[in-house]
Amino acid sequence: MNLDKTGQSLRPTHVVTCFLMRFDTGEPRILIVQRSQRVGSYHGQWAGVSGFLEPDTTPDEQAYTEIREETSLQREQVRMLRRGTIVEHIDPALGRHFYIHPFLFQVFTASEIHLAGEAPAMPWIAPAELANYETVPKLLEVYESAVNGEEVD
């Protein structure tokens, strides 16, 4: 059982966070999504394409599922480039110990992205601009983990 500093029980929560990158704009750009009021936490903050890791699903498979659900992109429209090491975040207010599985994907058909209801806005930004946004906890660290993660064949 995970406990925070006060001894409160924390629920282990595995999530995937996918950074979609496009290379057809001169300099690489990443997609960030603004979390809507319809999601459970961190309303209005910016994140990668993300979601809870479902039981009996690998992080890789969940990453493709979240991309499809949030952007309408299919597996053949993206390519997994890198898989980062897990980043942990403890949120006592939510009673959760997050284990964040980072991924970096290349997008081949950025014009085919259609917003799902979970994200009211999805701008493409230069990676250096990420620090200028009010993001979910540790997003910059998760991005660095994805970019510096193991290459995927």
Side-chain angles (χ1 to χ4, degrees):
M1 173 163 49
N2 291 344
L3 302 175
D4 70 6
K5 294 177 205 167
T6 67
Q8 176 186 356
S9 175
L10 296 171
R11 183 165 36 154
T13 306
H14 288 264
V15 296
V16 298
T17 295
C18 307
F19 293 94
L20 305 184
M21 186 171 276
R22 64 188 297 183
F23 297 96
D24 62 348
T25 56
E27 69 172 296
R29 298 252 177 210
I30 57 171
L31 185 74
I32 58 172
V33 298
Q34 188 174 34
R35 294 176 60 84
S36 78
Q37 297 299 316
R38 296 170 67 184
V39 296
S41 58
Y42 307 118
H43 302 137
Q45 294 181 358
W46 296 91
V49 172
S50 57
F52 293 110
L53 181 58
E54 298 294 333
D56 302 320
T57 304
T58 67
D60 288 24
E61 282 304 313
Q62 192 67 49
Y64 284 106
T65 298
E66 295 303 329
I67 290 169
R68 186 183 69 250
E69 289 177 357
E70 292 189 32
T71 68
S72 300
L73 292 176
Q74 302 301 311
R75 186 181 287 255
E76 63 274 5
Q77 294 173 298
V78 297
R79 180 169 68 103
M80 187 185 294
L81 299 176
R82 294 186 177 271
R83 183 185 300 113
T85 57
I86 292 173
V87 174
E88 295 184 42
H89 172 65
I90 293 175
D91 190 327
L94 295 176
R96 292 184 185 264
H97 183 161
F98 287 102
Y99 296 87
I100 307 158
H101 300 258
F103 294 92
L104 179 67
F105 283 83
Q106 179 178 0
V107 175
F108 300 118
T109 55
S111 63
E112 298 292 317
I113 291 178
H114 302 289
L115 294 176
E118 293 179 7
M122 291 183 161
W124 290 96
I125 65 168
E129 295 173 27
L130 192 56
N132 300 336
Y133 287 82
E134 183 184 344
T135 68
V136 296
K138 298 202 176 177
L139 189 66
L140 201 50
E141 186 179 336
V142 173
Y143 173 73
E144 292 296 330
S145 177
V147 168
N148 296 309
E150 69 172 314
E151 280 191 46
V152 178
D153 293 331

